[in-house]
Amino acid sequence: MDRIKIVDLLEMNTWGATLNVKGWVRTRRGSKQINFIALNDGSTMHNLQIVVDVNRFGEDFLKPVTTGACISVSGVLLESQGGGQRVELQAEEIQIYGTADPATYPLQKKGHSLEFLREIAHLRPRTNTFGAIFRLRHHMAIAVHTFFHERGFFYFHAPIITGSDCEGAGQMFQVTTMNLKELSKDDKGAILYDTDFFGKPTSLTVSGQLEGELAALALGEIYTFGPTFRAENSNTPRHLAEFWMIEPEMAFYEIADNMQLAEDFIKYCIQWALDHCMDDIRFLNDMFDKELIERLNFVLSQKFIRLSYTEGIRILESAIANGKKFEFPIGWGADLAAEHERFLVEEHFKCPVILTDYPREIKSFYMKQNDDGKTVRAMDVLFPKIGEIIGGSQREDNYDKLLERATEVGIPEKDIWWYLDTRRFGTAPHSGFGLGFERLLLFVTGMANIRDVIPFPRTPHNAEF
């Protein structure tokens, strides 16, 4: 008999039909005559109630059917007479695949802290919370691909191993096949990479942007979506060492086009979540963030404010003059902290903000310089509760300006000659942005810690599972 997923069975009304389901036991309760098993197979937030005649199966047979056990049940679909569910399955045959000793199985029917569940990340997908989060993660990935595919973008695979540092921060994981106990060095103590696999220093990528630009200047509009890595020794609720990035790059897009695409994209993803994952979102709203659904709908209903960095600083300085306290100082030329970004969004404008035209000194070398000589055509999308959720810019398409800026920040021409070539051969205006996938999931799920929206978080001193 073919298995039916619980998500599909719960919508059926073919009363009397004999069906088969498989899943994991959430609870078993009842009397010596009748037991009720709550079964879940991960396809939905909701459990299926299995009605079991104890005399038919025997108490000894049912004894190992405890929380965490995996079973197959064939039975008759009935319209439920009790409250709490529309349908139930009257068990006729039960097969036990695997048991879970209640004395050692850590996911018993009680509340577990998120911190504890991170310690058993191999089992936490079986909880309602992480089942909801990971179903949402799947749907957000589908939304990303669908949005760009519908608009004629091409999915482009940037390399994970790279010889360049897109952000110039140097916080990268090195990749090597050399014996670290016997490194060859020159007479000045510098490591020789001649015998290494690639013959040069290489690292895990921090971004697919530079390679994405190469593709955009041939295919027109592309996006990358893949894992990225930063060796930042940070243990905050907003940082991971391994995370996923979505990075579209578009030829012939000016900064205004870029901002509009970013707004359209993030609204599309939020609407997709509400359309496809409402049961999971309601659960997370009730359990963790009572304002989640309201906030998602709020963002959808708002036109994002476009605001220059200079005007943003003026607003922040005015707030300080009127008694507002910030932990970090602010002034023109400073990078905004999350508290500054959230003030603009949550308190001043009360809607999402796209901040533009940042000082060139605090932004990356590849951003297009404005005519004032002080600012660049950067754009950051700021969201309630999150702060910056998207960062992007119009890219510098002038060869001389790009080379000069790269030299200023210490990037050797020999390391980016291929990137510079696109400005030598058929340069064009182009723009792009990056969205950290886990930042999007934080917003859509209402979770407070980024480690709870990725299956197996990688952070300093933590590479378990």
Side-chain angles (χ1 to χ4, degrees):
M1 186 182 303
D2 291 339
R3 169 199 171 210
I4 302 289
K5 286 189 177 183
I6 290 175
V7 68
D8 297 322
L9 185 146
L10 292 175
E11 298 299 319
M12 297 174 69
N13 58 7
T14 52
W15 315 123
T18 300
L19 305 171
N20 174 260
V21 292
K22 305 176 193 294
W24 293 268
V25 175
R26 290 294 174 86
T27 60
R28 179 167 67 89
R29 60 182 176 81
S31 65
K32 289 186 177 181
Q33 288 77 39
I34 298 292
N35 277 191
F36 300 95
I37 296 173
L39 196 69
N40 190 283
D41 65 0
S43 63
T44 175
M45 169 65 59
H46 304 292
N47 301 325
L48 171 65
Q49 178 164 284
I50 310 292
V51 182
V52 182
D53 182 342
V54 176
N55 292 326
R56 176 178 186 136
F57 293 93
E59 290 185 15
D60 288 342
F61 176 83
L62 293 172
K63 184 175 285 189
V65 182
T66 58
T67 298
C70 184
I71 62 175
S72 170
V73 181
S74 296
V76 178
L77 184 68
L78 301 174
E79 190 170 6
S80 181
Q81 301 303 307
Q85 64 278 325
R86 189 182 68 86
V87 304
E88 60 190 23
L89 202 67
Q90 179 77 47
E92 293 187 335
E93 180 182 335
I94 297 175
Q95 180 181 358
I96 300 172
Y97 288 139
T99 61
D101 180 4
T104 57
Y105 184 60
L107 294 176
Q108 294 302 315
K109 189 183 179 183
K110 62 177 182 177
H112 298 290
S113 71
L114 295 174
E115 290 80 5
F116 169 73
L117 292 175
R118 285 179 214 133
E119 296 174 5
I120 55 167
H122 59 306
L123 294 175
R124 68 178 182 170
R126 298 189 189 185
T127 65
N128 283 336
T129 295
F130 287 93
I133 289 169
F134 296 141
R135 282 188 293 270
L136 270 160
R137 187 179 175 103
H138 158 79
H139 276 283
M140 287 298 88
I142 296 298
V144 168
H145 288 299
T146 304
F147 175 86
F148 288 117
H149 178 71
E150 288 177 348
R151 285 154 183 78
F153 282 63
F154 297 107
Y155 181 30
F156 187 74
H157 297 143
I160 290 176
I161 298 174
T162 179
S164 62
D165 179 0
C166 176
E167 298 300 322
Q171 296 168 327
M172 303 179 74
F173 290 100
Q174 278 197 269
V175 174
T176 183
T177 57
M178 294 191 295
N179 184 344
L180 299 182
K181 296 179 180 179
E182 299 177 5
L183 293 174
S184 300
K185 299 181 180 180
D186 64 18
D187 54 6
K188 295 182 180 179
I191 296 173
L192 297 171
Y193 288 89
D194 298 6
T195 60
D196 204 359
F197 187 89
F198 294 105
K200 61 182 288 188
T202 53
S203 303
L204 297 178
T205 185
V206 299
S207 168
Q209 179 201 315
L210 301 188
E211 293 85 0
E213 285 187 55
L214 311 184
L217 292 171
L219 299 174
E221 295 167 333
I222 67 94
Y223 69 104
T224 71
F225 184 10
T228 51
F229 310 85
R230 295 191 186 176
E232 185 176 353
N233 189 17
S234 179
N235 264 309
T236 78
R238 290 161 51 91
H239 290 90
L240 291 166
E242 176 186 89
F243 53 99
W244 285 64
M245 285 286 289
I246 303 145
E247 297 176 287
E249 293 290 331
M250 299 77 64
F252 315 118
Y253 271 49
E254 304 282 344
I255 187 68
D257 306 313
N258 201 24
M259 289 189 284
Q260 189 59 52
L261 183 75
E263 179 174 345
D264 292 345
F265 171 56
I266 204 158
K267 284 182 173 180
Y268 184 96
C269 290
I270 293 170
Q271 187 64 63
W272 185 283
L274 291 171
D275 289 345
H276 294 85
C277 309
M278 201 58 195
D279 282 349
D280 292 322
I281 290 174
R282 282 197 193 98
F283 171 81
L284 296 169
N285 184 93
D286 295 343
M287 289 293 294
F288 296 100
D289 186 345
K290 304 295 186 186
E291 299 175 350
L292 175 59
I293 294 174
E294 180 182 351
R295 191 164 54 249
L296 294 174
N297 283 308
F298 168 77
V299 167
L300 288 177
S301 68
Q302 299 296 311
K303 173 69 176 174
F304 295 5
I305 293 288
R306 272 71 165 163
L307 182 75
S308 73
Y309 167 92
T310 299
E311 180 62 15
I313 293 296
R314 188 197 66 75
I315 292 170
L316 291 165
E317 290 178 334
S318 176
I320 292 170
N322 287 313
K324 177 68 179 178
K325 302 292 185 183
F326 292 112
E327 180 181 355
F328 296 100
I330 192 66
W332 203 95
D335 208 354
L336 272 64
E339 61 175 344
H340 305 130
E341 297 168 340
R342 291 183 61 181
F343 172 82
L344 292 172
V345 171
E346 296 171 9
E347 298 185 44
H348 187 82
F349 289 105
K350 295 182 171 60
C351 72
V353 171
I354 306 181
L355 209 59
T356 65
D357 299 315
Y358 282 78
R360 69 194 291 266
E361 302 305 325
I362 63 172
K363 287 297 182 181
S364 298
F365 76 99
Y366 50 72
M367 296 188 178
K368 186 167 182 63
Q369 300 175 45
N370 286 319
D371 293 338
D372 61 14
K374 298 191 302 179
T375 61
V376 291
R377 293 184 196 175
M379 52 154 267
D380 287 347
V381 180
L382 312 180
F383 257 35
K385 197 175 180 181
I386 300 292
E388 180 196 334
I389 194 167
I390 286 178
S393 71
Q394 187 170 341
R395 314 312 191 187
E396 182 57 73
D397 54 275
N398 181 284
Y399 175 89
D400 293 329
K401 289 183 178 180
L402 182 62
L403 177 58
E404 179 184 13
R405 185 70 181 127
T407 303
E408 283 179 9
V409 300
I411 300 176
E413 182 177 356
K414 65 180 179 61
D415 290 348
I416 57 168
W417 63 268
W418 45 271
Y419 183 66
L420 293 167
D421 263 5
T422 57
R423 276 64 170 180
R424 294 176 60 214
F425 307 132
T427 191
H430 61 289
S431 301
F433 61 80
L435 168 63
F437 190 45
E438 285 72 27
R439 290 281 179 94
L440 172 64
L441 286 164
L442 277 179
F443 187 76
V444 170
T445 63
M447 302 305 288
N449 195 312
I450 203 164
R451 302 175 195 201
D452 295 327
V453 295
I454 192 169
F456 304 105
R458 297 294 181 246
T459 55
H461 304 289
N462 180 27
E464 199 65 70
F465 313 109

